């Protein structure tokens, strides 16, 4: 109810020519979302927010709910706290699964955790942008097939905006990564945000079209 009232207020303000209320996007993720190894201002969340402000969404606020080392289970455990009270968040970005891969967690567990996250978002009426990870071949073809199928299947089941691979366009370009070869450097974040930004704009459009 609070979310519906807030959206109604946005419509009234817009029709009256007033300022539009902020669109609050919670980015739930791991170190890639958090901005590991970078000055705060160079991390994914601040740069995405700046990109949105410069590309048609000056009212966007992106909340950094990234925790380094977090798994899908950890993201689920802190989801309610990250979203805040009912009506506070307008949309959700989910970037989790990389640490499940590093720990070779059963894909069925990762799937169940992500499914629960998306189910809770739906219960709150929040549109979701789900960004995926890809399993390496060293776990075997069965593990890879089971893990890689999680993201497109859950996105379809929950009508989420689907981004197949968070690090698309960066892998294979070592100059875009920090020395650990895992986390993007500032230049890598800029390339990532340039690709990801339009997806975030589409997410914002879903919040504006919500009833």
């Amino acid at each position: 109810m609070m979310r519906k009232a807030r959206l109604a207020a946005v419509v009234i303000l817009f029709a009256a020519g007033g300022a539009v209320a902020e669109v609050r996007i919670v980015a739930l993720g791991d170190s890639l979302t958090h901005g590991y190894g970078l000055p705060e201002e160079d991390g994914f969340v601040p740069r995405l927010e700046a990109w949105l402000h410069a590309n048609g969404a000056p009212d966007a606020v992106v909340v950094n709910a990234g925790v380094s080392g977090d798994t899908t289970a950890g993201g689920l455990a802190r989801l309610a706290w990250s979203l805040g009270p009912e009506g506070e968040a307008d949309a959700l970005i989910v970037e989790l699964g990389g640490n499940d891969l590093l720990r070779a967690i059963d894909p069925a567990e990762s799937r169940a955790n992500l499914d629960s996250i998306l189910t809770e978002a739906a219960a709150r009426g929040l549109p979701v942008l789900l960004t995926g990870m890809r399993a390496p071949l060293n776990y075997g073809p069965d593990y890879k097939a089971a893990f890689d199928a999680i993201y497109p299947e859950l996105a379809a089941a929950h009508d989420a905006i689907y981004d197949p691979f968070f690090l698309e366009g960066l892998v294979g370009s070592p100059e875009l990564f920090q020395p650990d070869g895992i986390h993007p450097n500032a230049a890598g974040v800029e390339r990532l945000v340039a690709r990801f930004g339009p997806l975030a704009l589409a997410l914002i459009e879903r919040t504006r079209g919500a009833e």
Side-chain angles (χ1 to χ4, degrees):
M1 293 298 294
M2 290 177 63
R3 174 171 168 74
K4 289 182 178 179
R6 182 177 178 182
L7 285 168
V10 170
V11 172
I12 291 169
L13 282 169
F14 182 79
V20 177
E22 70 180 26
V23 177
R24 189 175 180 86
I25 305 169
V26 174
L28 184 75
D30 51 34
S31 56
L32 296 173
T33 294
H34 180 255
Y36 174 86
L38 295 170
E40 182 177 355
E41 65 272 15
D42 291 336
F44 170 71
V45 168
R47 299 313 304 152
L48 176 61
E49 183 175 286
W51 189 96
L52 290 170
H53 290 177
N55 288 275
D59 52 338
V61 174
V62 186
V63 179
N64 193 339
V67 172
S68 293
D70 218 359
T71 60
T72 57
L76 175 60
R78 61 188 175 84
L79 176 63
W81 179 87
S82 298
L83 292 176
E86 190 79 19
E88 185 170 298
D90 295 300
L92 178 66
I93 294 171
V94 180
E95 177 276 305
L96 289 165
N99 289 304
D100 293 49
L101 287 173
L102 291 174
R103 302 179 188 190
I105 291 172
D106 185 342
E109 294 184 23
S110 302
R111 176 186 288 267
N113 293 330
L114 289 169
D115 186 42
S116 294
I117 290 171
L118 297 182
T119 298
E120 175 60 23
R124 291 181 179 232
L126 302 178
V128 176
L129 197 173
L130 176 64
T131 182
M133 285 289 151
R134 294 174 182 161
L137 286 170
N138 58 298
Y139 291 140
D142 291 343
Y143 185 102
K144 179 172 177 57
F147 187 90
D148 290 359
I150 292 171
Y151 297 92
E153 291 177 2
L154 287 183
H158 291 273
D159 191 29
I161 296 173
Y162 172 51
D163 175 39
F165 184 41
F166 189 63
L167 296 175
E168 187 69 53
L170 277 70
V171 174
S173 298
E175 71 277 8
L176 298 176
F177 286 87
Q178 297 177 45
D180 63 11
I182 296 173
H183 299 94
N185 56 26
V189 169
E190 289 301 318
R191 179 175 293 188
L192 170 58
V193 165
R195 184 192 67 79
F196 198 86
L199 295 169
L201 280 178
L203 182 67
I204 291 172
E205 286 305 308
R206 288 199 178 189
T207 72
R208 291 171 173 162
E211 296 181 354

